[in-house]
Amino acid sequence: MNKLNWGILGTGAIARAFTHGLNQSRTGHLAAVASRSEEKARAFAEEEKIQSAHGSYEALLLDPAVEAIYVSTPHPFHAEWSIKAAEAGKHVLCEKPLALNRWQAEAMIESARQNNVFLAEAFMYRCHPQTAKLVEFIREGRIGQVRMIRASFGFGGGDSLNPESRIFSSALAGGGILDVGCYAVSGARLVAGAAIGKPFDNPVKVLATGHLGETGVDEWAAALLQFEPGITAQVATSVRAQLDNVIEIYGSEGRITLSDPWTADRRNPVTATLLIESASGRESCTLPAPATSFALEADMVADCIADGLYEPRPPAMTWDDSLGNLAVLDAWRAQVGVVPDDEKPVPRHHDLAGRPVRLRLSDTSHNMQYGRIEGLDKPVSKFILGGLIAHGSFAKAQVLFDHWMKVGGNAFDTGYVYRDADKILGQWLASRQIRDDVVLIAKGAHTPFCNPSDLSRELAESLEKLQTDYTDIYIMHRDNPDIPVGEFIDVLNEHVSAGRIKVFGGSNWSPERFAEANAYARSKGLQGMSVLNNNLSLARMVNPVWSGCLHMSDRESRTWMARNKVVHLAWSSQARGFFTERTDRELASPGFDPELRRCWISPGNLERRRRAIELATERGVLPINVAAAYVLNQAFESFALIGPESVHEIESSLRGLEVHLSPAEVDYLWGDEMKG
């Protein structure tokens, strides 16, 4: 077979280990190496007898002789260069951890998916014969039912440290959890999965502790993982304490010990030993390897690529396995208080791929559509990103928000009652310094604070958290019929005059009160409500999602909006997952998603869902894309609020823009009004 031509991105110690592995592999050929310094690249190439040396990472990605890239940079650069490599059409093996957090990893996976290239996280121990044998023993029940797992990986000691080194630098995401704690977590999850016949399992609870050093990184840390079947795992890591670096599995009938689970020798093949102890005695299983774990890992990559795969086969780390591992590391770090510099809300004008974050209205690489709202001097993306998706995590927010701008999205929705969403959105706006490119929607005056005084108080607080002097659109989150509508119009106009609001509207307002508000505004020569923000979707809201919610999905309401040229911003525009497989699961197993049943499942909605599936099949899209298109293709200016939880969900949602519906198709999808 033809050998896979590799390029190594980075010239550190782990790059040398992979180089030695390639020399032992049956499938790999090292074609080129790159460093940020041409001198370092040439020195590395001469020492390792590599044909090509590049003085920049960009040059390596342009090298036509290179088919696969090994990303061996420090952790904060994994996402950038993996994404750039994928965009260059190169397969990628990225050192562990795949990324700093789950959200970055999802963006990397999406890039691999869109560019049809292989991507894997470099946990080389998963490719050693010992790992496959361990899974086999667990599944055979050699120690009965697995009850407890202990996994550790740590090194170091002494009182001295170099704060600029990769291990201790917060700028380089140092510390034990990300560097080697990831091994312990991955090993525990592998065993827990094998115990229930799966490639891996994710814990339902993480309880963690650790010690932060003077540079802000975790110097030693431990965590308890609770898995749903009742299995518990203890994991430990360190960069300033010598640990025993083992995996022990305790079952109902014995235990298995791996004294060298990580098989991390960088030059020599590792002969591993699994020790099984039970009532019947002690059994030692010796497992030699033909080459280093790094060589076996390179062969795994080449074999998968040859078979047309884009991700590894278990027990190597599949994409879902990598995401699950990072989710545990995220939780572990959060409880210990570890925040690398790249996850802090500091000035940063570039996205994961190192590109400037800015609105790209003329960019032909995306198909975002825009509408106009009178009173705003900016176009508004037809999809509006819900700010609540970033609750609790600036790390998540910056990945999703940056990508939203990349695909042409410029509208963001947040609200005073959305916990810390407005604060996180404000941190992102300040760090990227793109406030004027963004259409910001702020909401306030939710029940029981729906009155002019509290409206003004909440608006002031929201603007402070959002770190801006104004919001493009202000929406009252609820109405209060006990207060004359004119009092709301008066106070909102005061804020318009003061420059704190450009245009305003109401959410969960009835058509009657909305019309009354605008009639009052006209009579007084004041600005009226520009937007209505109720529920509108292809599925009628059977029961309110929250108390006080109103929908505009019925034909009469939609006719009223078309006749009165109302601009509508639809929340729950895709009926909160009704058009996905979640409905099938609820119908098959009542109680899986009781809120879906309570709010959306009805005979009429199920028929509309059937029609959406029918049309989606014809158009080659997903039913949820048809549901989104239904909202956008109304006879009035209609925008859809969406809440994607990942870069992949953003990309999937955008396919709704490809679906153009005629008025007849809109009518067909809605069908018989009497069915509910």
Side-chain angles (χ1 to χ4, degrees), residues 519-665:
Y520 174 87
R522 286 192 299 272
S523 71
K524 299 293 184 178
L526 300 174
Q527 182 172 314
M529 287 193 164
S530 299
V531 297
L532 183 61
N533 174 216
N534 289 359
N535 170 247
L536 189 155
S537 65
L538 179 53
R540 179 204 291 264
M541 188 171 60
V542 178
N543 289 298
V545 176
W546 303 284
S547 176
C549 290
L550 299 177
H551 74 77
M552 302 294 287
S553 300
D554 59 285
R555 198 182 306 275
E556 181 180 354
S557 296
R558 289 183 283 114
T559 300
W560 174 82
M561 287 192 287
R563 185 172 60 247
N564 291 280
K565 298 181 179 179
V566 174
V567 175
H568 190 264
L569 316 182
W571 58 262
S572 288
S573 60
Q574 297 170 88
R576 300 175 70 81
F578 178 76
F579 294 93
T580 69
E581 71 282 352
R582 286 174 59 190
T583 296
D584 294 324
R585 296 179 68 180
E586 171 59 26
L587 292 173
S589 303
F592 163 74
D593 192 339
E595 280 297 286
L596 193 69
R597 182 175 294 275
R598 183 181 73 85
C599 300
W600 305 103
I601 293 180
S602 71
N605 284 341
L606 289 173
E607 172 59 20
R608 294 176 187 116
R609 184 172 181 267
R610 185 196 68 77
R611 296 184 184 196
I613 294 171
E614 172 191 283
L615 187 56
T617 302
E618 293 175 4
R619 302 288 183 91
V621 296
L622 298 173
I624 200 168
N625 299 141
V626 173
Y630 173 84
V631 172
L632 299 181
N633 285 269
Q634 292 294 327
F636 47 88
E637 187 73 272
S638 182
F639 299 81
L641 276 64
I642 60 174
E645 292 286 341
S646 67
V647 167
H648 177 63
E649 289 187 8
I650 289 176
E651 292 289 343
S652 178
S653 297
L654 293 180
R655 296 205 64 194
L657 298 170
E658 303 170 10
V659 182
H660 303 286
L661 302 175
S662 68
E665 287 172 323

Side-chain angles (χ1 to χ4, degrees), residues 374-509:
E374 187 175 352
L376 297 183
D377 57 2
K378 292 175 275 192
V380 183
S381 55
K382 294 290 278 185
F383 280 136
I384 298 169
L385 194 65
L388 188 56
I389 61 174
H391 161 63
S393 174
F394 180 77
K396 176 183 178 182
Q398 63 179 346
V399 172
L400 297 189
F401 293 172
D402 288 352
H403 193 77
W404 187 239
M405 295 292 285
K406 176 186 175 184
V407 300
N410 71 331
F412 296 81
D413 169 80
T414 188
Y416 183 84
V417 296
Y418 289 173
R419 293 170 282 186
D420 57 358
D422 50 1
K423 175 183 176 181
I424 291 174
L425 179 55
Q427 290 173 335
W428 175 78
L429 287 171
S431 70
R432 294 332 189 243
Q433 297 182 359
I434 52 170
R435 173 65 186 93
D436 291 340
D437 287 342
V438 165
V439 175
L440 183 61
I441 302 171
K443 294 195 292 290
H446 195 291
T447 307
F449 302 105
C450 190
N451 58 72
S453 176
D454 283 315
L455 182 156
S456 297
R457 174 184 58 80
E458 290 183 355
L459 174 61
E461 292 179 27
S462 289
L463 292 179
E464 182 178 2
K465 292 178 182 177
L466 289 164
Q467 301 187 49
T468 182
D469 296 329
Y470 72 98
T471 181
D472 299 276
I473 303 173
Y474 179 80
I475 296 176
M476 290 184 60
H477 219 148
R478 290 289 191 273
D479 186 16
N480 185 350
D482 293 336
I483 294 178
V485 72
E487 294 186 25
F488 288 130
I489 294 296
D490 288 342
V491 73
L492 288 167
N493 272 268
E494 290 175 12
H495 292 300
V496 169
S497 298
R500 290 184 282 268
I501 295 173
K502 298 289 186 182
V503 300
F504 57 84
S507 181
N508 300 296
W509 276 54

Side-chain angles (χ1 to χ4, degrees), residues 194-239:
I196 58 174
K198 296 165 58 176
F200 62 87
D201 196 19
N202 293 319
V204 294
K205 184 183 294 185
V206 178
L207 299 174
T209 187
H211 169 78
L212 294 183
E214 61 187 62
T215 61
V217 307
D218 59 292
E219 296 184 342
W220 54 88
L224 179 66
L225 314 182
Q226 180 69 53
F227 295 89
E228 200 161 53
I231 298 172
T232 59
Q234 299 168 295
V235 294
T237 189
S238 73
V239 291

Side-chain angles (χ1 to χ4, degrees), residues 251-298:
S252 58
E253 300 175 18
R255 71 174 179 174
I256 297 176
T257 302
L258 282 70
S259 58
D260 187 6
W262 318 123
T263 60
D265 192 302
R266 296 182 175 184
R267 285 188 173 271
N268 305 302
V270 173
T271 296
T273 301
L274 285 84
L275 177 63
I276 305 174
E277 300 173 272
S278 64
S280 59
R282 293 164 57 94
E283 176 187 351
S284 181
C285 178
T286 301
L287 294 158
T292 70
S293 297
F294 297 92
L296 301 178
E297 178 179 59

Side-chain angles (χ1 to χ4, degrees), residues 11 33-46 52-57 59:
T11 54
V33 65
S35 172
R36 293 187 184 276
S37 159
E38 187 167 350
E39 182 181 355
K40 287 183 178 179
R42 288 189 181 279
F44 190 100
E46 289 176 7
S52 298
H54 298 290
S56 72
Y57 297 158

Side-chain angles (χ1 to χ4, degrees), residues 102 177 185 189 201-203 205-206 208 223 225 227 235 322-335:
R102 177 192 175 103
I177 294 173
V185 171
R189 293 174 53 258
D201 196 19
N202 293 319
K205 184 183 294 185
V206 178
L225 314 182
F227 295 89
V235 294
S322 290
L323 293 176
N325 212 58
L326 280 164
V328 177
L329 300 179
D330 291 344
W332 192 356
R333 288 193 298 113
Q335 292 180 45

Side-chain angles (χ1 to χ4, degrees), residues 23-211:
N23 292 335
Q24 298 177 26
S25 74
R26 58 179 169 78
T27 63
H29 169 253
L30 184 49
V33 65
S35 172
R36 293 187 184 276
S37 159
E38 187 167 350
E39 182 181 355
K40 287 183 178 179
R42 288 189 181 279
F44 190 100
E46 289 176 7
E47 291 176 27
E48 303 296 342
K49 298 179 173 56
I50 303 170
Q51 183 175 355
S52 298
H54 298 290
S56 72
Y57 297 158
E58 291 85 356
L60 178 67
L61 301 186
L62 292 173
D63 189 333
V66 172
E67 300 170 279
I69 299 291
Y70 175 63
V71 177
S72 67
T73 62
H75 312 333
F77 309 108
H78 287 181
E80 176 180 355
W81 292 105
S82 293
I83 290 172
K84 286 180 174 176
E87 292 174 345
K90 311 295 187 183
H91 303 293
V92 180
L93 175 64
C94 180
E95 253 311 314
K96 55 75 208 164
L98 185 61
L100 293 188
N101 53 62
R102 177 192 175 103
W103 320 113
Q104 289 188 358
E106 286 180 340
M108 296 162 68
I109 290 168
E110 183 62 19
S111 182
R113 183 185 286 116
Q114 291 188 2
N115 291 285
N116 297 315
V117 298
F118 180 89
L119 170 68
E121 183 174 17
F123 274 108
M124 76 293 176
Y125 85 94
R126 290 286 192 98
C127 303
H128 193 283
Q130 174 179 235
T131 303
K133 183 59 69 173
L134 172 63
V135 170
E136 179 185 322
F137 283 172
I138 295 295
R139 290 182 175 175
E140 288 176 353
R142 296 288 289 272
I143 57 170
Q145 295 181 346
V146 173
R147 301 280 170 80
M148 297 185 70
I149 305 162
R150 186 175 75 86
S152 63
F153 197 171
F155 58 86
D159 295 326
S160 62
L161 64 85
N162 175 8
E164 303 301 320
S165 71
R166 180 184 67 82
I167 294 300
F168 296 107
S169 168
S170 181
L172 296 178
I177 294 173
L178 284 177
D179 195 55
V180 287
C182 55
Y183 281 95
V185 171
S186 69
R189 293 174 53 258
L190 174 75
V191 172
I196 58 174
K198 296 165 58 176
F200 62 87
D201 196 19
N202 293 319
V204 294
K205 184 183 294 185
V206 178
L207 299 174
T209 187
H211 169 78

